[in-house]
Amino acid sequence: MSQSWAAPESTATGHEPATPKRQKKRGDGAERLDTIYRSISDAVIEHRLKPGVRLREDALAEVFGVSRTGIRKVLQRLALEQLVTLTPRRGASVTRPSVDEAKDVFEARQMVECGLMEAAARRITAADVKSLRDMARREREALRNREQRVAIKCSAAFHGRLAELSGNKTLADFVGQLCSRSSLILAVYGNTGHLGCESHDHDNLIELLAAGEGRKARDFMGRHLKSIEASLSIVEEPEAAPDLRDIFSVNP
């Protein structure tokens, strides 16, 4: 598939439009590649890069000003987290979860996130409660302002933070990966303007945890995740080439 960057407009003198300047290489150091990884991961989670979209190494290398080797390392890291699919002779593309994969992800979330609620209720502090309330408030504001991308990111961060409160870093990291994959599922099967959960659900979870009601929080989390899954419908979106310069705010 060809890249869909918009061509520069012709000049007033009638000359051919100038070729965009190639980004100056900034090196492939670990810190730089980690920044690129976060940029692409965020673009996937926030639905700026749609499931199924092809991610060309040469285009990304030009946008970020690094080598194709560096981009390849980033894409391999994203593939390990199942945000990107690597296909022989076709390259990388944003993962498009199947119906069965979507069900598996939510089943895993039921098992893991619900199971962590009792530990979270035992360990939660007043500072944690305040932080969670701030996160829930930002999510509500984003939904109210129809800032879908921000709301999606806030929701994923909220669930990740709840998992961290359990004290089990391994499972918390796994929940973070499941939440990232859930954002892809919402992009493919979700309804526009709806994240699959009621705006007050997270507030209710906070109150249960703050009161030390771990079992009730576990049960409520189960219903919460079920409501998200129940909101999904199979809606196929046509594959389209992304404007990488626009997505990552890179000027020619």
Side-chain angles (χ1 to χ4, degrees):
M1 188 185 338
S2 60
Q3 190 63 37
S4 64
W5 294 342
E9 297 180 356
S10 300
T11 63
T13 59
H15 295 302
E16 290 296 318
T19 302
K21 295 180 181 178
R22 184 178 296 275
Q23 286 290 106
K24 182 179 179 182
K25 291 289 188 293
R26 305 179 193 175
D28 293 357
E31 185 176 347
R32 176 62 181 153
L33 294 185
D34 190 60
T35 298
I36 296 171
Y37 158 80
R38 289 196 302 272
S39 294
I40 298 176
S41 178
D42 285 348
V44 171
I45 292 170
E46 296 170 10
H47 300 179
R48 288 179 284 129
L49 283 172
K50 301 294 185 181
V53 161
R54 184 183 174 194
L55 300 174
R56 285 175 44 195
E57 289 180 4
D58 57 342
L60 288 168
E62 182 175 352
V63 164
F64 288 109
V66 297
S67 70
R68 290 183 62 174
T69 299
I71 290 297
R72 195 170 299 123
K73 291 179 180 178
V74 171
L75 293 175
Q76 288 170 346
R77 180 178 174 184
L78 291 164
L80 286 174
E81 298 183 4
Q82 300 184 48
L83 295 181
V84 164
T85 298
L86 301 178
T87 306
R89 293 185 297 279
R90 189 176 186 273
S93 60
V94 178
T95 298
R96 181 184 290 275
S98 68
V99 174
D100 287 340
E101 288 169 340
K103 292 179 179 178
D104 286 348
V105 166
F106 277 97
E107 183 177 357
R109 291 188 66 177
Q110 284 279 351
M111 292 178 178
V112 181
E113 290 191 66
C114 294
L116 294 177
M117 289 301 96
E118 291 189 57
R122 290 193 300 268
R123 295 170 54 91
I124 196 167
T125 67
D128 294 328
V129 171
K130 182 179 184 300
S131 175
L132 288 171
R133 284 174 175 159
D134 286 342
M135 296 175 79
R137 176 183 52 77
R138 288 195 295 271
E139 182 186 354
R140 286 196 307 274
E141 290 175 352
L143 286 170
R144 186 166 54 249
N145 296 330
R146 300 185 181 277
E147 296 173 335
Q148 184 83 346
R149 296 173 181 174
V150 177
I152 289 167
K153 193 169 183 179
C154 287
S155 180
F158 180 87
H159 279 265
R161 180 59 186 144
L162 287 184
E164 288 174 356
L165 292 178
S166 72
N168 189 314
K169 186 179 186 306
T170 299
L171 288 178
D173 289 344
F174 183 45
V175 168
Q177 293 176 22
L178 290 173
C179 288
S180 295
R181 293 181 67 188
S182 294
S183 75
L184 288 175
I185 293 166
L186 285 168
V188 177
Y189 303 115
N191 297 306
T192 303
H194 182 52
L195 295 184
C197 56
E198 298 297 330
S199 61
H200 54 74
D201 273 9
H202 288 172
D203 292 303
N204 291 342
L205 271 170
I206 295 169
E207 296 309 315
L208 289 172
L209 292 171
E213 298 283 1
R215 291 187 180 182
K216 289 183 179 179
R218 178 196 63 196
D219 294 342
F220 190 91
M221 175 66 82
R223 294 192 297 273
H224 174 59
L225 293 173
K226 282 290 186 183
S227 71
I228 299 174
E229 185 177 3
S231 75
L232 304 177
S233 57
I234 300 177
V235 179
E236 295 292 342
E237 295 187 4
E239 184 175 329
D243 186 331
L244 298 177
R245 292 194 181 281
D246 179 62
I247 287 173
F248 298 112
S249 301
V250 175
N251 296 319

